[in-house]
Amino acid sequence: MDTSTCLNPPTLTPIVKVRQVRWPADASALESIREQVFIKEQKVPPHIEWDGQEQDSQHFIAYYNGTPVGTARLVKHYKLTRMAVLKHYRNQGVGNALIKAVSRSAMHAGMSELTANAQIDALGFYLKHNFTVTGDSYYEANILHKPISKPLGFSAP
């Protein structure tokens, strides 16, 4: 019996997919991820996290091998907000997939620019996706942020 395949199984590439979803139909998954990342991990007060813009926003969920692990929200004036990836799934392509999906959606809606407010700890991630800093640092929920934006075009971010 040849056991070489058992000793060295092929490496499986994880599959990351992003779906645009609706509030409140998918609120449970969206809330779960945001509560874990923002409220529990980053200590954002719930009254700041739940800002009343859920109904009027486009929501995205990133799935890692079928498990919901990341979210992003595009508010009605096409600002990227509430992007969160569960800690265990960071640096595995989930954030990249979310940025691409949100950028495509905003571009499809005719927007020429996508804006956001990046937490300083995540600024490098956004800069790698062609965002630039557009203003001074400020605190929100005791977390230092910088306003950022990127042009939207026909090339992939």
Side-chain angles (χ1 to χ4, degrees):
M1 176 174 159
D2 181 11
T3 60
S4 62
T5 57
C6 294
L7 296 174
N8 298 308
T11 303
L12 299 176
T13 303
I15 298 172
V16 177
K17 292 187 178 187
V18 176
R19 283 186 28 225
Q20 186 172 341
V21 298
R22 295 195 176 270
W23 189 279
D26 293 282
S28 178
L30 294 163
E31 288 174 339
S32 175
I33 294 165
R34 287 170 50 186
E35 284 177 6
Q36 287 178 66
V37 173
F38 295 124
I39 295 172
K40 292 179 181 171
E41 181 184 333
Q42 297 182 353
K43 311 290 188 239
V44 173
H47 73 276
I48 292 175
E49 179 56 29
W50 308 116
D51 60 3
Q53 295 188 63
E54 306 311 330
Q55 294 287 346
D56 295 329
S57 299
Q58 294 176 28
H59 297 272
F60 300 82
I61 298 178
Y63 296 86
Y64 186 94
N65 289 339
T67 302
V69 300
T71 69
R73 182 177 77 174
L74 194 55
V75 295
K76 60 184 172 182
H77 55 281
Y78 297 97
K79 183 175 186 177
L80 169 64
T81 66
R82 303 309 195 258
M83 183 156 157
V85 175
L86 296 177
K87 195 172 199 169
H88 179 73
Y89 295 93
R90 293 177 193 155
N91 301 308
Q92 298 184 51
V94 176
N96 297 336
L98 280 165
I99 287 286
K100 287 178 183 178
V102 171
S103 296
R104 275 192 306 267
S105 183
M107 189 173 63
H108 209 271
M111 300 308 300
S112 61
E113 179 182 58
L114 182 63
T115 63
N117 295 318
Q119 294 180 5
I120 292 299
D121 290 347
L123 185 59
F125 167 81
Y126 290 103
L127 295 176
K128 289 179 187 175
H129 288 277
N130 300 321
F131 282 87
T132 56
V133 175
T134 59
D136 295 330
S137 300
Y138 68 94
Y139 281 92
E140 182 179 0
N142 293 318
I143 300 170
L144 191 59
H145 289 72
K146 280 204 179 270
I148 58 174
S149 70
K150 81 169 194 167
L152 297 172
F154 292 101
S155 61

